[in-house]
Amino acid sequence: MGKPLFYEILEKPATSCIIGLCGVIWFYIQKKNIGYSHVGLSYETAIEGHYWRIITSAFSHISVIHLVFNMSALWSLGVVEQLGHLGLGVEYYLHYTLVLVVLSGLLVLAMYHLLIQRFKLEYFRRVTAVGYSCVVFGWMTILSVKQPSSKLDLFGFLSLPISFAPFESLIFTSIIVPQASFLGHLSGIVVGYAIAWGLIHGMSNYWALSLLGWVVLAFVLSLKRSGALELNFLEIESVTDPSLPAVRFLASGNGRTLQMSALPNGNVEIV
């Protein structure tokens, strides 16, 4: 008999928090009736400056089946947090989850750009990617290199050898779920191999926090510029309004005189 769920949560704190976050976001999306086009990542929205979608698309799920499949796989992959003796562990997991989210999203956009500009496949201009699958496939790939003897458990009863899991899952999801993002999953695999083989390495707390800071800044600024969210506190606008009377003090021999210019013709409303 396995360990109680409470102890497993304590052994996989980062994974548990991410699953909880994705669950809360899914519930919010359902409650507010938000469509995938509002949070998903596409080439068309990216060239319009909606870079924030790289983040929102990763943590958003539209259907409960999509959410359960991804979170079930992620829970199994959370074993990475327990492999500190192999140079992995909680910090490694958090550092490279951030890398996977950002780089897999950018790689998807690069693939779309190539297909659209080089091969004139306009279909990919509006293809919208949504879900945590890119990160899940990335961790499958990393674990297949770092711990090839592991197994990937899905739904508590389906077990796959981790060494073949990335490509098995890539083919399986493409056949069973035709609308699944093949390029999104493939981008996770590519970035996963780059991390596992050491092509992307050297992430420390300093670099992770620096990257997180830049991601947050880009996220907020792109939200502001794209008009997706009003963030008026980020700018200071001039209060000078030619439609309002000007007030100034004039020096005179007897002291100061308050002078107000005449109001222009028309109605003035104070809101």
Side-chain angles (χ1 to χ4, degrees):
M1 188 173 179
K3 295 180 181 179
L5 179 61
F6 176 75
Y7 290 104
E8 289 199 51
I9 290 174
L10 292 179
E11 291 177 348
K12 303 176 182 178
T15 302
S16 301
C17 288
I18 292 172
I19 291 175
L21 175 62
C22 289
V24 169
I25 292 173
W26 173 82
F27 179 79
Y28 181 81
I29 286 174
Q30 299 302 310
K31 185 177 177 65
K32 297 295 184 180
N33 198 28
I34 298 173
Y36 69 91
S37 61
H38 295 96
V39 294
L41 177 66
S42 69
Y43 183 80
E44 190 171 62
T45 55
I47 60 178
E48 291 174 356
H50 294 213
Y51 306 122
W52 51 269
R53 291 174 180 265
I54 292 176
I55 306 301
T56 60
S57 64
F59 293 95
S60 301
H61 297 79
I62 303 304
S63 71
V64 66
I65 295 176
H66 188 200
L67 174 70
V68 170
F69 182 85
N70 278 349
M71 297 304 101
S72 175
L74 184 64
W75 179 255
S76 180
L77 294 166
V79 69
V80 171
E81 297 187 65
Q82 302 169 319
L83 299 177
H85 60 285
L86 295 179
L88 304 181
V90 178
E91 282 190 5
Y92 183 93
Y93 183 82
L94 289 172
H95 293 170
Y96 288 100
T97 289
L98 178 60
V99 172
L100 282 166
V101 169
V102 175
L103 292 190
S104 59
L106 292 175
L107 184 56
V108 167
L109 291 176
M111 291 179 179
Y112 286 163
H113 180 79
L114 179 65
L115 292 170
I116 294 168
Q117 302 299 330
R118 180 68 177 84
F119 296 100
K120 308 302 179 184
L121 298 175
E122 291 296 318
Y123 163 77
F124 289 98
R125 186 175 292 276
R126 291 193 175 95
V127 171
T128 303
V130 63
Y132 204 70
S133 304
C134 55
V135 181
V136 169
F137 274 80
W139 280 117
M140 279 186 202
T141 305
I142 294 170
L143 203 56
S144 71
V145 174
K146 300 285 189 179
Q147 187 79 347
S149 61
S150 299
K151 289 186 177 295
L152 177 67
D153 296 319
L154 297 175
F155 309 113
F157 61 87
L158 181 61
S159 183
L160 299 174
I162 195 67
S163 55
F164 300 108
F167 293 103
E168 283 178 346
S169 299
L170 181 65
I171 296 171
F172 175 78
T173 54
S174 298
I175 294 173
I176 302 301
V177 188
Q179 68 269 32
S181 176
F182 180 87
L183 293 180
H185 297 167
L186 183 61
S187 69
I189 292 174
V190 171
V191 177
Y193 274 123
I195 293 171
W197 290 340
L199 301 178
I200 300 173
H201 65 281
M203 285 293 289
S204 62
N205 288 335
Y206 171 79
W207 288 114
L209 288 173
S210 298
L211 176 59
L212 179 61
W214 283 110
V215 168
V216 170
L217 180 61
F219 182 87
V220 173
L221 291 180
S222 64
L223 268 176
K224 176 62 180 176
R225 288 188 176 183
S226 65
L229 184 64
E230 290 296 328
L231 299 172
N232 295 327
F233 63 88
L234 289 179
E235 63 182 9
I236 300 175
E237 296 182 354
S238 174
V239 296
T240 303
D241 190 338
S243 66
L244 297 178
V247 179
R248 58 179 176 170
F249 285 99
L250 297 177
S252 65
N254 298 326
R256 291 185 174 181
T257 303
L258 177 65
Q259 183 184 59
M260 179 180 288
S261 63
L263 285 170
N265 295 330
N267 297 325
V268 177
E269 294 182 351
I270 304 300
V271 180

